[in-house]
Amino acid sequence: MPSSPKLPRIFHSHPNPTSSLASRTLLLVLLLALILLSLVLAGIALTRPLESNCNFKPRSVSVVWERRDGDGIIGRGSGEGEKRRKVMGFVGIFTGFGSVGRRKALRETWFPSDRQGLERLEEATGLAFRFIIGKTSDGKKMSDLKKEVAGYDDFVLLDIVEEYSKLPYKTLAYFKAAYALFDSEFYVKADDDIYLRPDRLSLLLAKERSNPQTYIGCMKKGPVFTDPKLKWYEPLSHLLGNEYFLHAYGPIYALSSSVVRSLVALRNDSFRMFSNEDTTIGSWMLAMNVNHENTHALCEPQCTSSSIAIWDIPKCSGLCNPEKKMYELHQMEICSKSPTLQPDD
């Protein structure tokens, strides 16, 4: 009779109570260590963005046109008491409430559209850029501007009514505000309808100069307009004679720090205000011991290997159709991608 098959031998293990307890304890310690490490890493991740952006608060600020304490110095509406930001050049892009399309075109071409882009441009060129705008009694326009400021955070808001006929007042307010906010070697005024090469502007401002009081621009002279029907009519023409003195075109020019410091020191009501901004600034420069530095690269009608600012001179005081022309120029390699060259001495 055949033998029955052998069944597999089954072994039963009986765990040691002491070793089981040690294993559970080790697992608990490891779990607690992982939780602690996760909390530390999360804390670092949360604080790092704040640290990297701390230098940009506030990027957009409001400033007061005039204080009634006799000194006429612009005060900050926010960030009061903070140190002036150190840059080589501060560039204020003059804009208005009807220029939403222009700002959009700039942000999609040569002007950075976010904080990181502005930071990179500042690090590369030493130049800080902001849009400069006043205020209006139109609640809808102010509401729209508030949303744009919140979205892009690239404005300096002046506590002065935004009105073209008051452009000389806005310009003085701008220079005083810029000086209060930035410790800069040069302060540049530019319009929102020019195509600009920030890299080349940086090289121009960085040049060695023997006279610390410098007025840089594309210089011109011209007739004083006495006919009220003309666009550039000057009501105070009897003080000027038949021809304007040497002065820079309005779309872009720069004043050195010592020049702006002198403007800041004077009371606002001590300045002679002509009808046009460029001639008003030019008249102030005549009263100061400044060097008029004529730079035609700031008023080129087309892009070249050395152009800094491009606009449709003399047909328009800027690009004639900036919202369209800005894109067209940016798509041209000679405008946007040509090498940065050292400026001529």
Side-chain angles (χ1 to χ4, degrees):
M1 183 175 180
S3 60
S4 59
K6 295 182 179 180
L7 296 174
R9 298 170 63 184
I10 300 174
F11 297 90
H12 298 278
S13 64
H14 299 281
N16 187 320
T18 303
S19 62
S20 178
L21 178 61
S23 299
R24 286 197 298 271
T25 303
L26 179 60
L27 287 174
L28 182 60
V29 170
L30 290 174
L31 181 61
L32 289 174
L34 287 173
I35 293 173
L36 181 60
L37 180 61
S38 299
L39 291 174
V40 171
L41 292 175
I44 293 174
L46 288 173
T47 57
R48 185 165 294 170
L50 296 176
E51 291 171 357
S52 63
N53 290 335
C54 64
N55 292 330
F56 296 91
K57 294 183 178 181
R59 166 102 40 199
S60 293
V61 296
S62 299
V63 290
V64 180
W65 154 240
E66 183 178 21
R67 287 184 172 181
R68 299 296 181 183
D69 54 7
D71 63 5
I73 295 179
I74 295 294
R76 280 182 261 191
S78 60
E80 190 81 41
E82 294 181 4
K83 290 182 62 177
R84 296 162 69 210
R85 186 177 178 85
K86 179 66 177 177
V87 293
M88 184 186 71
F90 176 70
V91 185
I93 308 296
F94 274 38
T95 191
F97 288 94
S99 296
V100 177
R102 292 185 182 185
R103 293 192 292 273
K104 179 178 182 293
L106 261 64
R107 292 191 184 105
E108 293 179 352
T109 54
W110 66 264
F111 189 99
S113 60
D114 54 36
R115 282 187 172 188
Q116 292 73 25
L118 284 169
E119 179 185 9
R120 288 192 297 269
L121 182 60
E122 184 175 326
E123 291 175 349
T125 64
L127 306 179
F129 290 81
R130 302 289 186 277
F131 287 109
I132 311 297
I133 195 170
K135 63 182 181 181
T136 178
S137 58
D138 189 316
K140 171 93 168 44
K141 291 181 179 179
M142 288 301 296
S143 177
D144 291 342
L145 175 62
K146 185 177 180 180
K147 294 176 183 177
E148 189 176 350
V149 170
Y152 292 99
D153 199 14
D154 53 8
F155 284 86
V156 169
L157 312 177
L158 301 177
D159 186 25
I160 185 172
V161 175
E162 183 69 40
E163 186 178 343
Y164 186 78
S165 63
K166 299 295 184 182
L167 189 53
Y169 294 89
K170 178 182 178 179
T171 305
L172 177 59
Y174 157 65
F175 281 118
K176 290 194 171 190
Y179 189 85
L181 296 170
F182 290 86
D183 180 6
S184 179
E185 297 176 27
F186 280 92
Y187 298 87
V188 181
K189 179 266 176 181
D191 288 340
D192 62 3
D193 56 356
I194 64 172
Y195 187 89
L196 188 65
R197 281 290 297 259
D199 52 342
R200 294 177 183 170
L201 177 61
S202 174
L203 289 180
L204 172 65
L205 300 182
K207 287 173 56 178
E208 291 290 335
R209 293 174 173 86
S210 57
N211 190 340
Q213 296 199 125
T214 303
Y215 173 34
I216 305 174
C218 186
M219 300 293 171
K220 64 168 181 172
K221 288 184 177 181
V224 177
F225 294 101
T226 58
D227 185 349
K229 297 179 182 179
L230 297 177
K231 180 179 181 180
W232 309 115
Y233 166 62
E234 178 51 70
L236 298 177
S237 58
H238 62 282
L239 298 175
L240 298 169
N242 296 324
E243 186 178 63
Y244 281 116
F245 35 78
L246 188 69
H247 63 282
Y249 279 100
I252 182 170
Y253 54 86
L255 303 181
S256 63
S257 178
S258 60
V259 174
V260 176
R261 183 168 61 247
S262 297
L263 298 181
V264 169
L266 296 175
R267 293 171 58 94
N268 293 329
D269 58 7
S270 67
F271 290 91
R272 170 77 69 183
M273 295 291 186
F274 292 105
S275 179
N276 300 305
E277 164 240 344
D278 55 353
T279 54
T280 298
I281 294 293
S283 70
W284 300 346
M285 297 302 101
L286 283 182
M288 305 171 68
N289 185 28
V290 305
N291 177 48
H292 289 60
E293 185 174 313
N294 187 18
T295 305
H296 284 286
L298 293 173
C299 59
E300 296 279 6
Q302 58 187 7
C303 297
T304 69
S305 60
S306 60
S307 57
I308 299 174
I310 298 91
W311 46 284
D312 291 320
I313 181 175
K315 186 177 180 181
C316 299
S317 57
L319 294 174
C320 293
N321 188 357
E323 294 180 25
K324 177 183 178 183
K325 191 71 174 290
M326 203 74 67
Y327 294 105
E328 293 176 352
L329 291 173
H330 197 65
Q331 291 173 359
M332 299 171 61
E333 187 170 346
I334 186 66
C335 294
S336 60
K337 297 179 181 179
S338 56
T340 302
L341 303 177
Q342 291 288 343
D344 296 331
D345 293 332

